[in-house]
Amino acid sequence: QVSLVESGGGLVQPGGSLRLSCVASGTIFRLSDMAWHRQAPGKQRERVAVISRDGSTNIAGSVKGRFTISRHNGENTAWLQMDNLQPEDTAVYYCHVKGTSTWWGEAFDTWGQGTQVTVSS
């Protein structure tokens, strides 16, 4: 009953920027971790960034210094700011959210449908 809506993907030139958003809706009591993963054709899915409810973050080495993750708890929203994009960043980007649906701790673990990011000149 928890769903994610992702937006912000598209085509951008090398060196350009995109900002992805992820909005969670449904039966949500509290969100815990919110994360972004990506998967390129023929490659394994990899986690690029994660942010906890208190704002602590972990950024993958391949994108560190270029990508920033943020969130707004009151809006159940997370963003991924991607700067200085390179062709190797081309992938489908997925939002991943964990949390609880009730005060007594019913947990959920939900993935978004993915949004395409293409970096090409």
Side-chain angles (χ1 to χ4, degrees), residues 43-103:
K43 298 184 65 178
Q44 297 279 46
R45 187 172 298 190
E46 64 173 339
R47 192 181 76 184
V48 298
V50 60
I51 183 168
S52 66
R53 185 172 180 83
D54 68 1
S56 63
T57 62
N58 190 13
I59 310 297
S62 59
V63 302
K64 197 169 188 177
R66 299 187 296 118
F67 289 14
T68 304
I69 188 170
S70 59
R71 66 188 288 168
H72 190 295
N73 293 332
E75 297 179 355
N76 295 329
T77 302
W79 297 271
L80 183 68
Q81 178 68 43
M82 303 183 293
D83 296 321
N84 192 23
L85 284 161
Q86 301 300 311
E88 54 265 35
D89 296 317
T90 296
V92 178
Y93 284 71
Y94 298 89
C95 184
H96 179 218
V97 173
K98 295 181 177 180
T100 54
S101 298
T102 65
W103 67 268

